[in-house]
Amino acid sequence: MAVTRKMRRGWCQICAGVSVLAMMIAAHGVALANPEVTAIRFGEGENSTRIVVETSEPVEFQAFTMAEPGPRLVMELPEALWAVASLATGEGAGRGHVSNFRFISGAGGRSRLVFNLTGPSQVSQTLNLEPGESGNYRQVIDIATAEASVFQASSSEFPASTSIDQLVAERAHARYDAGQCGQIRVVIDAGHGGRDPGAAASHGGHHESQVNLAAALALRDILLATGRYEVVMTRDSDVFIELEDRIRIAQDADADLFISLHADAVASGSSARGATVYTLADRAVNRARNRALDHSDGFLSNGYAQPVQDLLLDMSLREKRNQSLVFAQDLIGRVGGMAPVLDQRPRQANFYVLLDSQVPAVLFEMGFLTNRDDAHNLNNARFRQRLMATVAESIDHHFERCHSPNNPTYTATLNRASAAQ
Ligand SMILES: [Zn+2]
């Protein structure tokens, strides 16, 4: 059951933290120029909150609020090392105006601290203070309650596309710390099958369920060959599987990623071609919530009170959708490098197989069987092999941190694999 392993991961963060800290100390020995973030403290005033970020060196920083995707304060600083021993994952709870925060050791020579806010707030002052008793430099940000209109006006505005990129970058760095990875399980779902052939064959090829299965088997073999994944198939032959059963298979497998493979079709006359990656749509969230309650998904079967269930479900769905989007964004980018894509960005949809509340999930439409060139490609084993190798690259990238030789779980898995050979 999914929640069991997720909880185990949580308990394990403490021991994992020790090795992460050791890595940070090792890294610090090499790159002394990077300041270390050594402590985060909060002070509460009547309508204000003081955030103190302690660093080993003096740092220039910027602080600004953002309204989307939720009120937050962002502190941008030079590339820094996280060295708060008691919060090895880089995440912690806030106080006052701050509900929680996380550290992102970002790319491009910048690091970020993101403070999620309890409501509209504005920065009233920022200070750099000389070392105090701790011997560390202190960066101070004071924030105060603000009218919603003032907050909106003073918050940085990003076009929708940028905020998705930013979300992607933040999540990619915040998740999958080496210590949090167990054995990674990928569920591959070949769409349709049996009495449901999917899109009809055209241009002399196979119908959709056959194309999907051939691609799914190719992806399975590529992933297994890496030695990094357990792969679970919703089907590995021409059989019909109910949509709800496909979700169940992913849940029972305690999957880390679910990828459903399909091929598109349009009415004749359209020249549409190219691949599309879908994640669960905003408008489908209620449907997903109802599905989880109807089917007593994992953590909902423990007799929690309704408000607790709602909270757990919201948190789980938010995390699942974030992770799905991170993966989808990377996948469509890579696919676009080797084949036509219909859209450079992930699209949102209300597909049933994406409704599960926990497992990050995407639906990959590999191309249009109604398009002569796409159909030719998808019926070609060598093209499918290249396309699935690209999907595997994206999966590798998504779980990159889990593949670090410093991840004890991964090393143990490798040892087991080599002992078995
Ligand atoms: Zn389909």
Side-chain angles (χ1 to χ4, degrees), residues 138-199:
R138 291 166 294 166
Q139 282 60 232
V140 176
I141 305 168
D142 286 335
I143 52 175
T145 307
E147 297 286 338
S149 57
V150 173
F151 171 66
Q152 286 289 346
S154 63
S155 291
S156 294
E157 276 188 37
F158 289 86
S161 58
T162 313
S163 69
I164 288 179
D165 286 342
Q166 191 178 20
L167 176 69
V168 165
E170 285 181 10
R171 300 309 311 184
H173 287 289
R175 291 292 291 175
Y176 302 117
D177 290 330
Q180 288 193 46
C181 308
Q183 175 65 55
I184 302 164
R185 289 191 201 98
V186 178
V187 172
I188 305 172
D189 174 47
H192 312 279
R195 61 183 153 86
D196 169 20

CSV table of all heavy atoms in Angstrom, one decimal, residues 138-199:
chain,number,residue,atom,x,y,z
A,138,ARG,N,23.8,37.5,9.6
A,138,ARG,CA,22.4,37.4,9.7
A,138,ARG,C,21.7,38.3,8.6
A,138,ARG,O,22.0,39.5,8.5
A,138,ARG,CB,21.9,37.9,11.1
A,138,ARG,CG,22.3,36.9,12.2
A,138,ARG,CD,22.2,37.5,13.5
A,138,ARG,NE,23.1,38.7,13.7
A,138,ARG,CZ,23.0,39.6,14.7
A,138,ARG,NH1,22.0,39.5,15.6
A,138,ARG,NH2,23.9,40.6,14.8
A,139,GLN,N,20.9,37.6,7.8
A,139,GLN,CA,20.0,38.3,6.8
A,139,GLN,C,18.6,38.4,7.4
A,139,GLN,O,18.1,37.4,7.7
A,139,GLN,CB,20.0,37.6,5.5
A,139,GLN,CG,21.3,37.8,4.6
A,139,GLN,CD,22.6,37.3,5.3
A,139,GLN,OE1,23.5,38.0,5.3
A,139,GLN,NE2,22.6,36.1,5.8
A,140,VAL,N,18.1,39.6,7.4
A,140,VAL,CA,16.8,39.8,8.0
A,140,VAL,C,15.8,40.2,7.0
A,140,VAL,O,16.0,41.1,6.2
A,140,VAL,CB,16.9,40.8,9.2
A,140,VAL,CG1,15.5,41.1,9.8
A,140,VAL,CG2,17.9,40.3,10.2
A,141,ILE,N,14.6,39.6,7.0
A,141,ILE,CA,13.5,40.0,6.2
A,141,ILE,C,12.3,40.2,7.1
A,141,ILE,O,11.9,39.2,7.8
A,141,ILE,CB,13.1,39.0,5.1
A,141,ILE,CG1,14.4,38.7,4.2
A,141,ILE,CG2,12.0,39.5,4.2
A,141,ILE,CD1,14.2,37.5,3.3
A,142,ASP,N,11.8,41.4,7.2
A,142,ASP,CA,10.6,41.7,7.9
A,142,ASP,C,9.4,41.7,7.0
A,142,ASP,O,9.4,42.4,6.0
A,142,ASP,CB,10.6,43.0,8.7
A,142,ASP,CG,11.6,42.9,9.9
A,142,ASP,OD1,11.8,41.8,10.4
A,142,ASP,OD2,12.1,44.0,10.3
A,143,ILE,N,8.3,40.9,7.3
A,143,ILE,CA,7.1,41.0,6.5
A,143,ILE,C,5.9,41.3,7.4
A,143,ILE,O,5.9,41.1,8.5
A,143,ILE,CB,6.9,39.7,5.7
A,143,ILE,CG1,6.9,38.5,6.7
A,143,ILE,CG2,7.9,39.4,4.6
A,143,ILE,CD1,6.5,37.2,6.0
A,144,ALA,N,5.0,42.0,6.7
A,144,ALA,CA,3.8,42.5,7.5
A,144,ALA,C,2.5,42.1,6.7
A,144,ALA,O,2.6,42.0,5.4
A,144,ALA,CB,3.9,44.0,7.7
A,145,THR,N,1.4,42.0,7.4
A,145,THR,CA,0.2,41.7,6.7
A,145,THR,C,-0.1,42.8,5.7
A,145,THR,O,0.1,44.0,6.0
A,145,THR,CB,-1.0,41.7,7.8
A,145,THR,OG1,-0.6,40.7,8.8
A,145,THR,CG2,-2.3,41.2,7.2
A,146,ALA,N,-0.7,42.5,4.6
A,146,ALA,CA,-1.0,43.5,3.6
A,146,ALA,C,-2.4,43.3,3.1
A,146,ALA,O,-2.9,42.1,3.1
A,146,ALA,CB,0.0,43.4,2.4
A,147,GLU,N,-3.0,44.4,2.6
A,147,GLU,CA,-4.3,44.2,1.9
A,147,GLU,C,-4.1,43.4,0.6
A,147,GLU,O,-3.0,43.4,0.0
A,147,GLU,CB,-4.8,45.6,1.4
A,147,GLU,CG,-5.1,46.6,2.5
A,147,GLU,CD,-6.4,46.2,3.2
A,147,GLU,OE1,-7.3,45.5,2.6
A,147,GLU,OE2,-6.6,46.6,4.4
A,148,ALA,N,-5.1,42.6,0.3
A,148,ALA,CA,-4.9,41.7,-0.9
A,148,ALA,C,-4.5,42.5,-2.1
A,148,ALA,O,-3.7,42.1,-2.9
A,148,ALA,CB,-6.2,41.0,-1.1
A,149,SER,N,-5.1,43.7,-2.3
A,149,SER,CA,-4.8,44.5,-3.5
A,149,SER,C,-3.4,45.0,-3.5
A,149,SER,O,-2.7,45.0,-4.5
A,149,SER,CB,-5.8,45.7,-3.6
A,149,SER,OG,-5.6,46.5,-2.4
A,150,VAL,N,-2.9,45.3,-2.3
A,150,VAL,CA,-1.5,45.8,-2.2
A,150,VAL,C,-0.5,44.6,-2.4
A,150,VAL,O,0.5,44.7,-3.2
A,150,VAL,CB,-1.2,46.3,-0.7
A,150,VAL,CG1,0.3,46.6,-0.5
A,150,VAL,CG2,-2.0,47.6,-0.5
A,151,PHE,N,-0.9,43.4,-1.9
A,151,PHE,CA,-0.1,42.2,-2.1
A,151,PHE,C,0.0,41.9,-3.6
A,151,PHE,O,1.0,41.7,-4.1
A,151,PHE,CB,-0.7,41.1,-1.3
A,151,PHE,CG,-0.1,39.7,-1.6
A,151,PHE,CD1,1.2,39.5,-1.3
A,151,PHE,CD2,-0.9,38.8,-2.3
A,151,PHE,CE1,1.8,38.2,-1.6
A,151,PHE,CE2,-0.3,37.5,-2.5
A,151,PHE,CZ,1.0,37.3,-2.2
A,152,GLN,N,-1.2,41.9,-4.2
A,152,GLN,CA,-1.2,41.6,-5.7
A,152,GLN,C,-0.3,42.6,-6.4
A,152,GLN,O,0.4,42.2,-7.3
A,152,GLN,CB,-2.7,41.7,-6.2
A,152,GLN,CG,-3.5,40.5,-5.8
A,152,GLN,CD,-3.2,39.2,-6.5
A,152,GLN,OE1,-2.4,39.2,-7.4
A,152,GLN,NE2,-3.6,38.1,-5.9
A,153,ALA,N,-0.5,43.9,-6.1
A,153,ALA,CA,0.3,44.9,-6.9
A,153,ALA,C,1.8,44.8,-6.6
A,153,ALA,O,2.5,45.1,-7.5
A,153,ALA,CB,-0.3,46.3,-6.5
A,154,SER,N,2.2,44.4,-5.4
A,154,SER,CA,3.6,44.4,-5.1
A,154,SER,C,4.3,43.1,-5.4
A,154,SER,O,5.5,43.0,-5.4
A,154,SER,CB,3.8,44.8,-3.6
A,154,SER,OG,3.2,43.8,-2.8
A,155,SER,N,3.4,42.1,-5.7
A,155,SER,CA,4.0,40.8,-6.0
A,155,SER,C,4.5,40.7,-7.4
A,155,SER,O,4.0,41.3,-8.3
A,155,SER,CB,3.0,39.7,-5.8
A,155,SER,OG,2.7,39.6,-4.4
A,156,SER,N,5.6,40.0,-7.6
A,156,SER,CA,6.2,39.8,-8.9
A,156,SER,C,5.2,39.1,-9.8
A,156,SER,O,4.5,38.2,-9.4
A,156,SER,CB,7.4,38.9,-8.8
A,156,SER,OG,8.4,39.6,-8.1
A,157,GLU,N,5.1,39.6,-11.0
A,157,GLU,CA,4.2,39.0,-11.9
A,157,GLU,C,5.0,38.1,-12.9
A,157,GLU,O,5.9,38.6,-13.5
A,157,GLU,CB,3.4,40.0,-12.7
A,157,GLU,CG,2.2,40.5,-11.9
A,157,GLU,CD,1.3,41.4,-12.7
A,157,GLU,OE1,1.2,41.2,-13.9
A,157,GLU,OE2,0.8,42.4,-12.2
A,158,PHE,N,4.5,36.9,-13.1
A,158,PHE,CA,5.1,36.1,-14.1
A,158,PHE,C,4.0,35.6,-15.0
A,158,PHE,O,2.9,35.3,-14.6
A,158,PHE,CB,5.7,34.8,-13.4
A,158,PHE,CG,7.0,35.2,-12.7
A,158,PHE,CD1,6.9,35.6,-11.3
A,158,PHE,CD2,8.2,35.1,-13.2
A,158,PHE,CE1,8.0,35.9,-10.6
A,158,PHE,CE2,9.3,35.3,-12.5
A,158,PHE,CZ,9.3,35.8,-11.2
A,159,PRO,N,4.3,35.6,-16.3
A,159,PRO,CA,3.3,35.0,-17.2
A,159,PRO,C,3.1,33.6,-16.9
A,159,PRO,O,4.0,33.0,-16.3
A,159,PRO,CB,3.9,35.2,-18.6
A,159,PRO,CG,5.4,35.6,-18.4
A,159,PRO,CD,5.5,36.1,-17.0
A,160,ALA,N,2.0,33.0,-17.2
A,160,ALA,CA,1.6,31.6,-16.8
A,160,ALA,C,2.8,30.7,-17.2
A,160,ALA,O,3.1,29.8,-16.4
A,160,ALA,CB,0.3,31.2,-17.5
A,161,SER,N,3.3,30.9,-18.4
A,161,SER,CA,4.4,29.9,-18.8
A,161,SER,C,5.6,30.0,-17.9
A,161,SER,O,6.1,28.9,-17.6
A,161,SER,CB,4.8,30.3,-20.2
A,161,SER,OG,5.3,31.6,-20.3
A,162,THR,N,6.0,31.1,-17.4
A,162,THR,CA,7.1,31.2,-16.6
A,162,THR,C,6.9,30.6,-15.2
A,162,THR,O,7.7,29.9,-14.7
A,162,THR,CB,7.5,32.7,-16.4
A,162,THR,OG1,7.5,33.4,-17.6
A,162,THR,CG2,8.9,32.8,-15.7
A,163,SER,N,5.7,30.8,-14.7
A,163,SER,CA,5.4,30.2,-13.4
A,163,SER,C,5.4,28.7,-13.5
A,163,SER,O,5.8,28.0,-12.5
A,163,SER,CB,4.2,30.8,-12.8
A,163,SER,OG,3.0,30.3,-13.4
A,164,ILE,N,5.0,28.1,-14.6
A,164,ILE,CA,5.1,26.7,-14.7
A,164,ILE,C,6.6,26.2,-14.7
A,164,ILE,O,7.0,25.3,-14.0
A,164,ILE,CB,4.5,26.2,-16.0
A,164,ILE,CG1,2.9,26.3,-15.8
A,164,ILE,CG2,4.8,24.7,-16.3
A,164,ILE,CD1,2.2,25.8,-17.0
A,165,ASP,N,7.4,27.0,-15.5
A,165,ASP,CA,8.9,26.6,-15.5
A,165,ASP,C,9.5,26.7,-14.1
A,165,ASP,O,10.2,25.9,-13.7
A,165,ASP,CB,9.6,27.6,-16.4
A,165,ASP,CG,9.3,27.3,-17.9
A,165,ASP,OD1,8.9,26.2,-18.2
A,165,ASP,OD2,9.6,28.2,-18.7
A,166,GLN,N,9.1,27.8,-13.4
A,166,GLN,CA,9.6,28.0,-12.1
A,166,GLN,C,9.2,26.9,-11.1
A,166,GLN,O,10.0,26.4,-10.4
A,166,GLN,CB,9.1,29.3,-11.6
A,166,GLN,CG,9.8,29.8,-10.4
A,166,GLN,CD,9.3,31.1,-9.9
A,166,GLN,OE1,8.3,31.5,-10.3
A,166,GLN,NE2,10.1,31.8,-9.1
A,167,LEU,N,7.9,26.5,-11.2
A,167,LEU,CA,7.4,25.5,-10.4
A,167,LEU,C,8.2,24.2,-10.7
A,167,LEU,O,8.6,23.5,-9.8
A,167,LEU,CB,5.9,25.2,-10.8
A,167,LEU,CG,5.2,24.1,-10.1
A,167,LEU,CD1,5.0,24.4,-8.6
A,167,LEU,CD2,3.8,23.9,-10.7
A,168,VAL,N,8.4,23.9,-12.0
A,168,VAL,CA,9.1,22.7,-12.4
A,168,VAL,C,10.5,22.8,-11.8
A,168,VAL,O,11.0,21.8,-11.2
A,168,VAL,CB,9.2,22.7,-13.9
A,168,VAL,CG1,10.2,21.7,-14.4
A,168,VAL,CG2,7.8,22.3,-14.5
A,169,ALA,N,11.2,23.9,-11.9
A,169,ALA,CA,12.6,24.0,-11.4
A,169,ALA,C,12.6,23.8,-9.9
A,169,ALA,O,13.4,23.0,-9.3
A,169,ALA,CB,13.2,25.3,-11.7
A,170,GLU,N,11.6,24.4,-9.2
A,170,GLU,CA,11.6,24.3,-7.7
A,170,GLU,C,11.4,22.8,-7.3
A,170,GLU,O,12.0,22.3,-6.5
A,170,GLU,CB,10.4,25.1,-7.2
A,170,GLU,CG,10.8,26.6,-7.2
A,170,GLU,CD,9.6,27.4,-6.6
A,170,GLU,OE1,8.7,26.8,-6.0
A,170,GLU,OE2,9.7,28.6,-6.7
A,171,ARG,N,10.4,22.2,-7.9
A,171,ARG,CA,10.0,20.9,-7.5
A,171,ARG,C,11.2,19.9,-7.9
A,171,ARG,O,11.5,19.0,-7.1
A,171,ARG,CB,8.7,20.4,-8.2
A,171,ARG,CG,7.5,21.2,-7.9
A,171,ARG,CD,7.3,21.5,-6.4
A,171,ARG,NE,7.4,20.3,-5.6
A,171,ARG,CZ,7.1,20.3,-4.3
A,171,ARG,NH1,6.7,21.4,-3.7
A,171,ARG,NH2,7.2,19.2,-3.6
A,172,ALA,N,11.8,20.1,-9.0
A,172,ALA,CA,12.8,19.2,-9.4
A,172,ALA,C,13.9,19.2,-8.4
A,172,ALA,O,14.6,18.2,-8.2
A,172,ALA,CB,13.3,19.6,-10.8
A,173,HIS,N,14.2,20.4,-7.8
A,173,HIS,CA,15.3,20.4,-6.9
A,173,HIS,C,14.9,20.0,-5.5
A,173,HIS,O,15.7,19.6,-4.7
A,173,HIS,CB,15.9,21.8,-6.8
A,173,HIS,CG,16.7,22.1,-8.1
A,173,HIS,ND1,17.9,21.5,-8.3
A,173,HIS,CD2,16.4,22.9,-9.1
A,173,HIS,CE1,18.3,21.9,-9.5
A,173,HIS,NE2,17.5,22.8,-10.0
A,174,ALA,N,13.6,20.2,-5.2
A,174,ALA,CA,13.1,19.9,-3.8
A,174,ALA,C,12.9,18.5,-3.5
A,174,ALA,O,13.0,18.0,-2.4
A,174,ALA,CB,11.8,20.7,-3.5
A,175,ARG,N,12.7,17.7,-4.6
A,175,ARG,CA,12.3,16.3,-4.4
A,175,ARG,C,13.5,15.3,-4.7
A,175,ARG,O,14.5,15.7,-5.3
A,175,ARG,CB,11.1,15.9,-5.3
A,175,ARG,CG,9.9,16.6,-4.9
A,175,ARG,CD,9.4,16.1,-3.6
A,175,ARG,NE,8.9,14.7,-3.7
A,175,ARG,CZ,8.5,14.0,-2.6
A,175,ARG,NH1,8.5,14.5,-1.4
A,175,ARG,NH2,8.0,12.8,-2.8
A,176,TYR,N,13.3,14.1,-4.3
A,176,TYR,CA,14.2,13.1,-4.7
A,176,TYR,C,15.6,13.3,-4.1
A,176,TYR,O,16.6,13.1,-4.8
A,176,TYR,CB,14.2,12.8,-6.2
A,176,TYR,CG,12.9,12.4,-6.7
A,176,TYR,CD1,12.2,13.2,-7.6
A,176,TYR,CD2,12.2,11.3,-6.1
A,176,TYR,CE1,10.9,12.9,-8.0
A,176,TYR,CE2,10.9,11.0,-6.5
A,176,TYR,CZ,10.3,11.8,-7.4
A,176,TYR,OH,9.0,11.5,-7.8
A,177,ASP,N,15.7,13.8,-2.9
A,177,ASP,CA,17.0,13.8,-2.3
A,177,ASP,C,17.5,12.4,-2.2
A,177,ASP,O,16.7,11.5,-2.0
A,177,ASP,CB,16.9,14.4,-0.9
A,177,ASP,CG,16.6,15.8,-0.9
A,177,ASP,OD1,17.0,16.5,-1.8
A,177,ASP,OD2,16.0,16.3,0.0
A,178,ALA,N,18.8,12.2,-2.3
A,178,ALA,CA,19.3,10.8,-2.4
A,178,ALA,C,18.7,9.9,-1.3
A,178,ALA,O,18.4,8.8,-1.5
A,178,ALA,CB,20.8,10.9,-2.3
A,179,GLY,N,18.6,10.5,-0.1
A,179,GLY,CA,18.2,9.6,1.0
A,179,GLY,C,16.7,9.2,1.0
A,179,GLY,O,16.3,8.3,1.7
A,180,GLN,N,15.9,9.8,0.1
A,180,GLN,CA,14.5,9.5,0.1
A,180,GLN,C,14.1,8.5,-0.9
A,180,GLN,O,12.9,8.1,-1.0
A,180,GLN,CB,13.7,10.8,-0.1
A,180,GLN,CG,13.7,11.8,1.0
A,180,GLN,CD,12.7,12.9,0.8
A,180,GLN,OE1,11.6,12.6,0.5
A,180,GLN,NE2,13.1,14.1,1.0
A,181,CYS,N,15.0,8.0,-1.6
A,181,CYS,CA,14.6,7.0,-2.7
A,181,CYS,C,14.8,5.6,-2.2
A,181,CYS,O,15.8,5.2,-1.7
A,181,CYS,CB,15.6,7.2,-3.9
A,181,CYS,SG,15.7,8.9,-4.4
A,182,GLY,N,13.7,4.9,-2.4
A,182,GLY,CA,13.8,3.4,-2.2
A,182,GLY,C,14.0,2.8,-3.6
A,182,GLY,O,14.4,3.4,-4.5
A,183,GLN,N,13.6,1.6,-3.7
A,183,GLN,CA,13.5,0.9,-5.1
A,183,GLN,C,12.5,1.7,-5.9
A,183,GLN,O,11.3,1.9,-5.4
A,183,GLN,CB,13.1,-0.5,-4.9
A,183,GLN,CG,12.9,-1.2,-6.3
A,183,GLN,CD,14.2,-1.3,-7.1
A,183,GLN,OE1,15.2,-1.8,-6.6
A,183,GLN,NE2,14.2,-0.8,-8.3
A,184,ILE,N,12.8,2.1,-7.1
A,184,ILE,CA,11.9,2.9,-7.9
A,184,ILE,C,11.1,2.0,-8.8
A,184,ILE,O,11.6,1.2,-9.5
A,184,ILE,CB,12.7,3.9,-8.8
A,184,ILE,CG1,13.6,4.8,-7.9
A,184,ILE,CG2,11.8,4.8,-9.6
A,184,ILE,CD1,14.6,5.6,-8.6
A,185,ARG,N,9.8,2.2,-8.7
A,185,ARG,CA,8.9,1.4,-9.5
A,185,ARG,C,8.1,2.2,-10.5
A,185,ARG,O,7.5,3.2,-10.1
A,185,ARG,CB,7.8,0.7,-8.6
A,185,ARG,CG,8.5,-0.4,-7.8
A,185,ARG,CD,7.5,-1.3,-7.1
A,185,ARG,NE,8.2,-1.9,-6.0
A,185,ARG,CZ,8.2,-1.5,-4.7
A,185,ARG,NH1,7.4,-0.5,-4.4
A,185,ARG,NH2,8.9,-2.1,-3.8
A,186,VAL,N,8.3,1.8,-11.7
A,186,VAL,CA,7.6,2.5,-12.8
A,186,VAL,C,6.5,1.6,-13.4
A,186,VAL,O,6.8,0.4,-13.6
A,186,VAL,CB,8.6,2.9,-13.9
A,186,VAL,CG1,7.9,3.5,-15.1
A,186,VAL,CG2,9.7,3.7,-13.4
A,187,VAL,N,5.3,2.1,-13.4
A,187,VAL,CA,4.2,1.4,-14.0
A,187,VAL,C,4.0,1.8,-15.5
A,187,VAL,O,3.8,3.0,-15.7
A,187,VAL,CB,2.9,1.5,-13.2
A,187,VAL,CG1,1.7,0.8,-13.9
A,187,VAL,CG2,3.1,0.8,-11.9
A,188,ILE,N,4.0,0.9,-16.4
A,188,ILE,CA,3.8,1.2,-17.8
A,188,ILE,C,2.4,0.7,-18.2
A,188,ILE,O,2.2,-0.5,-18.0
A,188,ILE,CB,4.9,0.6,-18.7
A,188,ILE,CG1,6.3,1.1,-18.2
A,188,ILE,CG2,4.7,1.0,-20.2
A,188,ILE,CD1,7.4,0.3,-19.0
A,189,ASP,N,1.6,1.6,-18.7
A,189,ASP,CA,0.3,1.2,-19.1
A,189,ASP,C,0.1,1.3,-20.6
A,189,ASP,O,0.0,2.4,-21.1
A,189,ASP,CB,-0.7,2.2,-18.4
A,189,ASP,CG,-2.1,2.0,-18.8
A,189,ASP,OD1,-2.6,0.8,-18.8
A,189,ASP,OD2,-2.8,3.0,-19.1
A,190,ALA,N,0.0,0.2,-21.3
A,190,ALA,CA,-0.3,0.2,-22.7
A,190,ALA,C,-1.8,0.4,-22.8
A,190,ALA,O,-2.6,-0.4,-22.4
A,190,ALA,CB,0.1,-1.1,-23.3
A,191,GLY,N,-2.2,1.5,-23.4
A,191,GLY,CA,-3.6,1.9,-23.5
A,191,GLY,C,-4.4,0.9,-24.3
A,191,GLY,O,-3.9,0.2,-25.2
A,192,HIS,N,-5.7,0.7,-23.9
A,192,HIS,CA,-6.6,-0.2,-24.6
A,192,HIS,C,-6.2,-1.6,-24.6
A,192,HIS,O,-5.5,-2.0,-23.7
A,192,HIS,CB,-6.8,0.3,-26.1
A,192,HIS,CG,-7.1,1.8,-26.2
A,192,HIS,ND1,-8.3,2.3,-26.0
A,192,HIS,CD2,-6.3,2.8,-26.4
A,192,HIS,CE1,-8.3,3.7,-26.1
A,192,HIS,NE2,-7.0,4.0,-26.4
A,193,GLY,N,-6.7,-2.5,-25.5
A,193,GLY,CA,-6.3,-3.9,-25.5
A,193,GLY,C,-7.5,-4.8,-25.5
A,193,GLY,O,-8.6,-4.4,-25.1
A,194,GLY,N,-7.4,-6.0,-26.0
A,194,GLY,CA,-8.5,-6.9,-26.1
A,194,GLY,C,-9.6,-6.4,-26.9
A,194,GLY,O,-9.4,-6.0,-28.0
A,195,ARG,N,-10.8,-6.4,-26.3
A,195,ARG,CA,-12.0,-6.0,-27.1
A,195,ARG,C,-12.0,-4.5,-27.4
A,195,ARG,O,-12.9,-4.0,-28.1
A,195,ARG,CB,-13.3,-6.4,-26.4
A,195,ARG,CG,-13.5,-5.8,-25.0
A,195,ARG,CD,-14.8,-6.4,-24.4
A,195,ARG,NE,-14.8,-6.4,-22.9
A,195,ARG,CZ,-15.2,-5.4,-22.2
A,195,ARG,NH1,-15.5,-4.2,-22.7
A,195,ARG,NH2,-15.1,-5.5,-20.9
A,196,ASP,N,-11.1,-3.8,-26.8
A,196,ASP,CA,-11.0,-2.3,-27.1
A,196,ASP,C,-9.7,-2.0,-27.9
A,196,ASP,O,-8.6,-1.9,-27.3
A,196,ASP,CB,-11.0,-1.6,-25.7
A,196,ASP,CG,-10.6,-0.1,-25.9
A,196,ASP,OD1,-10.7,0.5,-27.0
A,196,ASP,OD2,-10.2,0.5,-24.9
A,197,PRO,N,-9.8,-2.0,-29.2
A,197,PRO,CA,-8.6,-1.8,-30.0
A,197,PRO,C,-8.1,-0.3,-30.0
A,197,PRO,O,-7.0,-0.1,-30.5
A,197,PRO,CB,-9.1,-2.2,-31.4
A,197,PRO,CG,-10.5,-1.9,-31.4
A,197,PRO,CD,-11.0,-2.1,-30.0
A,198,GLY,N,-8.8,0.6,-29.5
A,198,GLY,CA,-8.4,2.0,-29.6
A,198,GLY,C,-8.5,2.6,-31.0
A,198,GLY,O,-9.4,2.1,-31.7
A,199,ALA,N,-7.7,3.5,-31.3
A,199,ALA,CA,-7.8,4.2,-32.6
A,199,ALA,C,-7.6,3.1,-33.7
A,199,ALA,O,-6.7,2.2,-33.6
A,199,ALA,CB,-6.8,5.3,-32.8
